[in-house]
Amino acid sequence: EVQLVESGGGLVKPGGSLRLSCAASGFTFSSYSMNWVRQAPGKGLEWVSSISSSGTYIYYTDSVKGRFTISRDNAKNSLYLQINSLRAEDTAVYYCARRETFTYDSGSYYSYFDYWGQGTLVTVSS
Amino acid sequence: SSELTQDPAVSVALGQTVRITCQGDSLRSYYASWYQQRPGQAPVLVIYYKNNRPSGIPDRFSGSSSGNTASLTITGAQAEDEADYYCNSRDSSGHLREFGGGTKLTVL
């Protein structure tokens, strides 16, 4: 059974830092791209960052570039998100999500988030 | 703000059919995926690619796409389908992902 379990959230002051973790089990972690998605209280889902299976390719949404760093340790089946210079608008539940990918039409690829963790809450407040 | 546009709220009578739409330029190039989120729970994938359902998702859920619009249709809506629904796709660069603003479905 695929499981994704986030941890590391909490209450932090503006300008502070946190490191979120996502422990994966039930699948070959090193074969999948992984993502972080967040949801501010009462708001919609926002894609935050992705990392390829080997860690070679990394992408961020514009609002977190330079402040957030995604990483992974395939030996430990773990995904991380280092979040620095926290702002009130970063307050959200942070989900890790596995991304499944397949190719079609002679080389095009399609991907989607097939498994999600339960999330960890980050609250930024003084 | 999202470049995928969804109606904020839609309602449907129990047992009737409802269509939830998602519009955006990136959908001319990329298929969407759809996620259901019940209150207090993590999102769950319900439709991906052209019209594929993960195991465990009832066949009353279906997907379609035309031009810049992706649609999620629930045929014979049930009380348990009351939830928020989000579309997702690659953005125009092809490297990033974006979600629609979400549609709150009420089953009357």
Side-chain angles (χ1 to χ4, degrees):
Chain A
E1 177 193 7
V2 172
Q3 284 197 324
L4 299 170
V5 180
E6 301 92 338
S7 60
L11 175 63
V12 62
K13 290 182 169 53
S17 299
L18 277 177
R19 189 194 196 203
L20 307 184
S21 299
C22 172
S25 61
F27 66 102
T28 304
F29 181 72
S30 59
S31 296
Y32 289 86
S33 294
M34 297 296 295
N35 289 247
W36 288 98
V37 176
R38 69 182 178 181
Q39 186 171 37
K43 303 297 184 182
L45 300 174
E46 179 186 22
W47 175 81
V48 173
S49 181
S50 68
I51 185 168
S52 60
S53 57
S54 64
T56 302
Y57 300 101
I58 287 174
Y59 301 99
Y60 300 97
T61 191
D62 286 346
S63 63
V64 309
K65 280 182 186 174
R67 301 188 299 122
F68 289 19
T69 302
I70 192 172
S71 62
R72 64 190 297 160
D73 185 337
N74 287 343
K76 294 183 177 180
N77 291 338
S78 292
L79 174 72
Y80 305 103
L81 187 68
Q82 177 69 40
I83 47 180
N84 299 329
S85 303
L86 278 160
R87 307 166 180 169
E89 55 264 36
D90 296 318
T91 294
V93 174
Y94 286 73
Y95 297 100
C96 69
R98 189 180 87 166
R99 194 170 80 198
E100 175 66 271
T101 302
F102 62 85
T103 58
Y104 67 99
D105 288 353
S106 304
S108 299
Y109 78 90
Y110 178 82
S111 61
Y112 54 96
F113 306 120
D114 60 347
Y115 287 96
W116 298 64
Q118 284 303 306
T120 187
L121 176 62
V122 173
T123 303
V124 184
S125 175
S126 55
Chain B
S1 62
S2 172
E3 295 187 32
L4 294 179
T5 302
Q6 297 183 240
D7 290 330
V10 170
S11 62
V12 61
L14 184 67
Q16 296 304 299
T17 296
V18 62
R19 176 176 291 181
I20 297 169
T21 61
C22 174
Q23 290 187 303
D25 286 342
S26 63
L27 299 179
R28 297 184 185 278
S29 304
Y30 307 117
Y31 292 105
S33 52
W34 289 92
Y35 303 86
Q36 176 194 68
Q37 187 180 35
R38 296 187 174 112
Q41 297 186 18
V44 172
L45 175 71
V46 294
I47 291 289
Y48 64 98
Y49 195 42
K50 295 179 182 179
N51 181 21
N52 295 64
R53 283 175 291 105
S55 61
I57 300 301
D59 61 5
R60 62 179 178 272
F61 289 88
S62 63
S64 61
S65 183
S66 179
N68 73 336
T69 302
S71 300
L72 172 71
T73 300
I74 306 174
T75 303
Q78 302 299 303
E80 60 264 33
D81 299 335
E82 188 162 288
D84 294 326
Y85 291 86
Y86 296 90
C87 59
N88 178 266
S89 180
R90 287 197 249 172
D91 77 339
S92 53
S93 77
H95 296 300
L96 310 185
R97 310 293 304 196
E98 56 183 357
F99 286 92
T103 296
K104 181 178 181 61
L105 176 66
T106 299
V107 179
L108 304 172

